[in-house]
Amino acid sequence: MKNVLRRINTPSRVVVAAFLVVVLTGATLLSLPIAVETGRAASWTSALFTATSAVCVTGLAVQDTATHWTFFGEMVIMVLMQIGGFGIMSLASVLALVVSGRIGLRATLNTQAETRTLGPGEVRQVLAGVAKVTLAVEALTAAVLTVRFVTGYGEPLGRALYQGIFHAVSSFTNAGFALWPDSMMRFVRDPWICLPLALSVVAGGLGFPVYAALRRSWRRPGRWSLHTKITVGMTAALLFGGTAAVTATEWSNPATLGGLPPGLRILAGFFHSAMTRSGGLNSVDVSQMHENTWLISDVLMFVGAGSASTGGGIKVTTFALLGFVILAELRGEPDVTAGRRRVPEQLQRQALTIALLSVATVALGTFVLMMVTPFKLDRVLFEVISAFGTVGLSTGITGDLGTVGHLVLTVLMFVGRLGPVTLGAALALHVQTRRFRYPEEGPLVG
């Protein structure tokens, strides 16, 4: 019995169990009649899908958030987004620090597993960054949105404040839920709405270790850690590269950017690029985009945001590290280097494992959905990557996937939020330690 409990209490299993408990609790609350506008209990599949989407900060929805759920239901969704984006273990550890002024070793290890910090000594620092950055960015975003809703759209102060807070939480946690049926399409011409939301998504997707590093030496990029350099550099490259690609492919599409003035086309392209990083809100109709734009979005959604952030995907550091491995192999170099630093072989194996497991998960999810739904590959692939990358963008087929399709997406969102490696470690029965090594021999490659 002690061995069983010891296995359950490993950090990876605790993180998975905590997320599962919160998802089930949220689904139970959303299934209550008080959470639904009609006054009738929501189906368990719908409630579970929505709760998973909120906790896993995805934003895919089988029901329109604004019209299907009551104020109580929307509040449950907002709380679930905040818990999921902040991190369940991080939240528990912060509460422990507030109450007792310290955090135990077990809680430290659990939080380290969830936030993917480099060592136990960094956990306290990361937690401080989590709390400060979350409150600061969400408060600033909510304030700007509230003022805009009051002055630009005549909303009463109370309603404007609620809308501002809800969308500030939704954007910074990269959750992608909106209080309008068309998401942000009605605001496509309003930079005072689109820019704060996009910047909030980018801020949430950088990752809290980056903020801790920037706080120490933001004026001296030469002193940044390798992780910070890669995250900031790749975020900028993918954000502006995605903006250029999306804007170019959709420039003359009358159903998306074609009907906008040139400046607003660039704004809409920037907004979509930012949202593919895991944001999930949309200011143009994604279902009317060209197929090559969907493919661009697939790549951006699969890569995702920064490690230990509110965003999903395989993470920009994993993507960059694989690039460094390829570059070293092409050059015939014995070591993989990045920024005049040698990358440990263990990290190379982790990056390769994450990438291949993610590809396999997306492929399997796509295969299953194509078996049970009538939709074509391009739309199904977009939906699967959006779910796995916890993005929340959709080509408009989410509500028509059926019960089996919704359950498949629910599993993909859960796996995508926790990560294939974390989930795999949690499911492993034990870790084997060998006291010997086999003779070396390699097969032909390529």
Side-chain angles (χ1 to χ4, degrees), residues 332-414:
E333 297 178 351
D335 297 320
V336 176
T337 58
R340 297 184 179 181
R341 294 292 186 271
R342 181 167 51 86
V343 180
E345 291 184 2
Q346 181 182 2
L347 292 182
Q348 299 174 40
R349 292 197 301 270
Q350 288 178 359
L352 183 61
T353 301
I354 290 171
L356 290 181
L357 284 178
S358 299
V359 170
T361 303
V362 169
L364 179 60
T366 302
F367 174 78
V368 174
L369 278 187
M370 290 194 68
M371 290 287 291
V372 300
T373 67
F375 299 105
K376 294 183 179 180
L377 175 61
D378 49 8
R379 290 181 181 270
V380 171
L381 180 63
F382 190 100
E383 201 82 7
V384 168
I385 295 179
S386 181
F388 177 76
T390 67
V391 179
L393 294 174
S394 174
T395 59
I397 66 174
T398 307
D400 300 321
L401 293 177
T403 301
V404 176
H406 292 156
L407 291 177
V408 170
L409 291 185
T410 299
V411 173
L412 286 171
M413 290 187 290
F414 193 80

Side-chain angles (χ1 to χ4, degrees), residues 16 33 47 64 84 125 130 135 137 146 185 241 248 278 291 317 319 340 342 344 351 353 407 414 431-432 435 442:
V16 172
D64 177 52
Q125 184 181 34
V130 169
L135 293 176
V137 176
T146 300
M185 289 174 59
S278 200
E291 293 180 358
T317 45
F319 182 72
R340 297 184 179 181
R342 181 167 51 86
T353 301
L407 291 177
F414 193 80
V431 179
Q432 295 182 352
R435 300 180 183 275

Side-chain angles (χ1 to χ4, degrees), residues 282-370:
N282 61 284
S283 63
V284 295
D285 191 350
V286 177
S287 67
Q288 298 299 315
M289 287 182 166
H290 296 309
E291 293 180 358
N292 51 354
T293 309
W294 288 347
L295 181 58
I296 294 170
S297 302
D298 288 341
V299 174
L300 294 174
M301 292 190 296
F302 186 75
V303 174
S307 297
S309 73
T310 60
I314 64 172
K315 304 297 189 289
V316 293
T317 45
T318 302
F319 182 72
L321 183 53
L322 292 175
F324 290 129
V325 171
I326 294 172
L327 186 61
E329 185 63 26
L330 292 177
R331 290 177 174 177
E333 297 178 351
D335 297 320
V336 176
T337 58
R340 297 184 179 181
R341 294 292 186 271
R342 181 167 51 86
V343 180
E345 291 184 2
Q346 181 182 2
L347 292 182
Q348 299 174 40
R349 292 197 301 270
Q350 288 178 359
L352 183 61
T353 301
I354 290 171
L356 290 181
L357 284 178
S358 299
V359 170
T361 303
V362 169
L364 179 60
T366 302
F367 174 78
V368 174
L369 278 187
M370 290 194 68

Side-chain angles (χ1 to χ4, degrees), residues 116-134:
R116 292 158 176 81
T117 47
L118 300 179
E122 287 188 338
V123 169
R124 192 183 186 107
Q125 184 181 34
V126 170
L127 288 177
V130 169
K132 293 177 182 178
V133 172
T134 299

Side-chain angles (χ1 to χ4, degrees), residues 99-187:
V99 174
S100 63
R102 65 185 181 86
I103 177 175
L105 178 59
R106 184 179 298 278
T108 298
L109 295 175
N110 293 337
T111 305
Q112 179 190 351
E114 182 187 47
T115 59
R116 292 158 176 81
T117 47
L118 300 179
E122 287 188 338
V123 169
R124 192 183 186 107
Q125 184 181 34
V126 170
L127 288 177
V130 169
K132 293 177 182 178
V133 172
T134 299
L135 293 176
V137 176
E138 288 183 354
L140 179 60
T141 305
V144 174
L145 293 178
T146 300
V147 171
R148 184 56 180 167
F149 289 142
V150 171
T151 59
Y153 299 93
E155 293 281 0
L157 179 59
R159 177 64 181 174
L161 182 61
Y162 171 63
Q163 291 173 338
I165 294 175
F166 185 96
H167 292 96
V169 173
S170 180
S171 59
F172 181 74
T173 61
N174 281 214
F177 282 91
L179 293 178
W180 294 280
D182 60 355
S183 188
M184 294 293 145
M185 289 174 59
R186 65 187 61 195
F187 304 113

